Amino acid sequence: MQKNEADDVYDVIVVGSGAGLVGALAAASRGLRTLVIEKTEFIGGTTAYSGSGLWLPGNAAERRAGLDSGPDQARPYLDAIVGEDAPSALREAFLRAGAPMIDELESHSWLGQFFWLGVPDYFEKAPGSLAGGRTIFPEPLDRSALGDLEPLVRRPQWAERSGAHPGDVMTGGQALIARLLLAFTETGNGSIRTNTPLKRLVVEDGRVVGVEATSDGDSITLRARRGVILAAGGYERNGEFRQKYQPEVTGEWSQGAPGNTGDALVAGMEIGAATDLLEEAWFAPGLVVPNERPVFYTSVWSGIWVNDAGERFMNERLPYDRAGHEILRAQRNSDVSHIPVHWVFDQRQFDNERAFSSPPVAPQSTDWFDIDKFLAAGVLQKADTLEELAELIGVPAGTLTKSVAQFNEYALSGKDEAFGRGDAPWDRNIVNTCGSHEDGPNPCLGLIGKSPFYAAQIVLSDLGTKGGLKTDENSRVLREDGSVITGLYASGNTMAPMTGRIYPGAGGPVGSSMVFSYLAALDMADSNG
């Protein structure tokens, strides 16, 4: 059959298939012929790995839950924590569009209703911070609902790593991507091409008019009448960029999707796009496990962290991005190594049924932790005494025993005088949902004293890099002089974030990615092409 040249002409092209699918859906729903190209064989990107919390103040799910959390309540919080690290116009656009976007998504039968779950905001002392948070989630979805589309959706990370079946019910990021995919294809205006990596942007008379990509080994040109949205994640798997912007971190520690090597970022830079915050990421501590990338987890509920001097240096229960930044800060400002961190705990952890008989992290899948395998791989150390453990992990025995003794005093008194562990709503929320020791008045502070003792390794991981192309409040990409590159938009981790250097609450990355891809689609729908 002869190929029609019009087959490669669209109104909108979206590069990347994670939360940028919201922009694709919004464009297709408005009658725009929309194409999504995806570098890998699966759609969903890092969003499919996520729990798919969405930090979106004032949305319908919050209103149904009886929360009073509109833009006016959230603005002081964002202003205080973001400051001058990102333009205030981006925050205003986010606050203005988040709730209407959810209203529109819920109008699609496949999206259904989102639900609120009380996850505390991450900066408890900032004005406007909510102990109940502003995070909503998509409803689970039976895998069978996808039909022939099911093999397209990227598996949860634990299933992808282990090869295990992910189960008959999709939750979190898988559910969100699946629902967006079904709604997008149902419009009749949307199509997806997997295994189609971006090579470069096509520019004519200063305007982006399409993309050059690779498909089946051949170079193809795909044209876009209204514009191109770059929503292809960050550069976390790009070793050269990592070394340039984040030399303390390696892509081998990242939780980002395999295809995230910064192709879209580079394509924008090649045509003069301005960038910002390239040294930043959505950082998170990662537990080192045998023969695999580190495991992401939300918080500890047992033990302490010490550096190579055997000294405790932070509240181990900080929200993960704050914890990651604190590790990085300590690494950069001390002669003592803080990467990897030594995570010291005792036998009580394995005696605690609520802790899943594993190290103090939530399990990634059933029976994921095998203590003998961890010990054999050298990623877990075990000793009858703290002095022996100190020798195994290479820290001064006297300092380690002193650090543990001091922490035990805090556990008995109920107050962490050094770092305030257990004071914040986030700290206490993790205890309530994951497990705790009850040796003293503060369940966030469990005694360390039951032999044998253990030490695991914590490295600086991330959920993706977050620096990217500068945009205006409509997601239009900007040049260094502030002028707009017509026809080019960015969102997600390809875009310099509206949150600057911080992570406001659970679902900050996915929520903001959805909003700015949505704003891009609205801008293109309002244009004359």
Side-chain angles (χ1 to χ4, degrees), residues 62-389:
E62 289 179 321
R63 296 195 297 271
R64 288 191 293 268
L67 273 72
D68 180 16
S69 173
D72 290 341
Q73 289 74 28
R75 185 176 293 108
Y77 178 70
L78 281 177
D79 286 347
I81 61 179
V82 176
E84 300 299 318
D85 288 332
S88 61
L90 296 184
R91 300 198 289 278
E92 288 301 317
F94 171 79
L95 292 171
R96 181 184 72 249
M101 179 192 71
I102 292 298
D103 289 341
E104 181 172 328
L105 290 177
E106 291 192 342
S107 72
H108 293 276
S109 59
W110 280 117
L111 269 300
Q113 289 192 336
F114 293 83
F115 65 93
W116 171 82
L117 192 61
V119 184
D121 286 339
Y122 288 171
F123 291 82
E124 70 280 358
K125 295 181 181 179
S129 178
L130 294 183
R134 299 169 164 97
T135 303
I136 64 173
F137 296 84
E139 291 285 354
L141 180 70
D142 285 344
R143 191 171 296 278
S144 60
L146 278 166
D148 293 341
L149 294 174
E150 192 278 332
L152 278 178
V153 180
R154 183 172 292 282
R155 296 315 195 230
Q157 190 181 69
W158 64 264
E160 194 171 84
R161 287 182 174 187
S162 66
H165 188 274
D168 295 331
V169 178
M170 294 175 152
T171 60
Q174 265 222 315
L176 177 66
I177 293 299
R179 290 180 178 279
L180 289 170
L181 173 62
L182 288 166
F184 176 59
T185 55
E186 193 175 70
T187 65
N189 296 316
S191 55
I192 294 178
R193 297 183 66 150
T194 56
N195 295 307
T196 306
L198 172 71
K199 289 179 64 178
R200 61 184 60 88
L201 296 164
V202 178
V203 182
E204 294 178 359
D205 298 325
R207 177 190 178 98
V208 173
V209 296
V211 301
E212 187 178 328
T214 302
S215 180
D216 295 327
D218 296 325
S219 180
I220 59 172
T221 299
L222 305 166
R223 298 184 69 84
R225 300 184 187 93
R226 301 291 181 100
V228 173
I229 306 176
L230 299 178
Y235 67 80
E236 54 267 22
R237 301 300 186 96
N238 184 320
E240 180 182 349
F241 273 32
R242 280 287 200 187
Q243 184 60 36
K244 182 176 181 179
Y245 298 111
Q246 300 172 5
E248 299 89 351
V249 191
T250 169
E252 296 305 308
W253 295 343
S254 178
Q255 311 297 321
N260 292 355
T261 56
D263 302 354
L265 174 63
V266 171
M269 294 167 69
E270 286 177 343
I271 65 166
T275 62
D276 197 18
L277 298 174
L278 290 178
E279 72 279 9
E280 280 294 338
W282 306 99
F283 287 117
L287 173 66
V288 178
V289 299
N291 305 319
E292 292 182 9
R293 290 177 179 271
V295 171
F296 164 71
Y297 61 94
T298 53
S299 180
V300 316
W301 59 79
S302 177
I304 60 172
W305 290 353
V306 300
N307 57 25
D308 268 4
E311 299 168 332
R312 185 169 175 245
F313 62 96
M314 62 177 288
N315 171 8
E316 299 87 351
R317 286 183 188 267
L318 283 176
Y320 40 93
D321 183 68
R322 288 180 62 188
H325 274 93
E326 185 62 21
I327 292 172
L328 185 59
R329 183 203 64 77
Q331 179 71 14
R332 288 175 173 173
N333 293 288
S334 172
D335 294 333
V336 175
S337 177
H338 290 73
I339 302 176
V341 172
H342 306 287
W343 190 350
V344 176
F345 52 96
D346 68 1
Q347 183 61 33
R348 297 163 200 258
Q349 182 57 47
F350 298 104
D351 297 340
N352 182 359
E353 291 182 2
R354 292 186 67 193
F356 309 100
S357 296
S358 72
V361 295
Q364 301 299 295
S365 61
T366 303
D367 299 325
W368 76 276
F369 178 75
D370 183 317
I371 187 171
D372 292 331
K373 289 183 179 178
F374 271 59
L375 289 168
V379 298
L380 183 69
Q381 300 294 337
K382 176 183 178 181
D384 291 332
T385 67
L386 285 171
E387 290 81 2
E388 292 170 343
L389 186 68

